[in-house]
């Protein structure tokens, strides 16, 4: 019986050691892959977005007209009340 117990104990130690080594290798690989992902992301990241150019004076008026037409359509469909329509219209015209 003592020989059997010694064999079981040895097997448990070997299995525990193998599991610990395997876990350490997995964590190390995951760390390396994470570093590679960060490096690749930094290398291939798109350039920072720039602010859009301000619209030309003629474009500003045409965009206001388009907004007012859309606002009128929403009012006709009953989506906007008269008060909401007036408030949005004055906001558009003031800008």
């Amino acid at each position: 019986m003592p020989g059997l117990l010694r064999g079981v104990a040895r097997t448990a130690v070997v299995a525990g050691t193998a599991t610990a080594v395997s876990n350490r290798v997995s964590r190390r690989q995951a760390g390396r892959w994470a570093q590679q992902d960060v490096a690749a992301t930094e290398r291939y990241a798109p350039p920072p977005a720039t602010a859009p150019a301000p619209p030309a004076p003629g474009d500003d008026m045409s965009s206001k007209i388009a907004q007012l037409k859309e606002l009128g359509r929403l009012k006709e469909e009953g989506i906007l009340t008269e008060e909401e329509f007036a408030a949005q219209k004055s906001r558009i015209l003031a800008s």
Side-chain angles (χ1 to χ4, degrees):
M1 196 64 134
L4 180 63
L5 194 56
R6 191 176 316 146
V8 170
R10 184 179 307 133
T11 302
V13 169
V14 169
T17 303
T19 302
V21 170
S22 174
N23 288 341
R24 185 167 186 261
V25 169
S26 294
R27 281 193 303 271
R28 189 172 28 184
Q29 278 183 332
R32 286 182 183 166
W33 290 340
Q35 287 175 350
Q36 288 174 354
D37 287 345
V38 169
T41 303
E42 290 172 353
R43 188 175 339 139
Y44 297 113
T50 59
D59 290 340
D60 187 42
M61 184 54 82
S62 62
S63 71
K64 284 184 181 182
I65 292 172
Q67 288 175 345
L68 289 172
K69 285 181 181 178
E70 178 67 18
L71 201 60
R73 185 184 65 75
L74 292 173
K75 181 183 168 222
E76 286 175 6
E77 291 179 5
I79 297 173
L80 293 177
T81 64
E82 186 65 38
E83 294 80 23
E84 292 171 331
F85 174 77
Q88 292 298 322
K89 179 180 153 187
S90 62
R91 183 189 60 81
I92 291 171
L93 293 174
S95 63

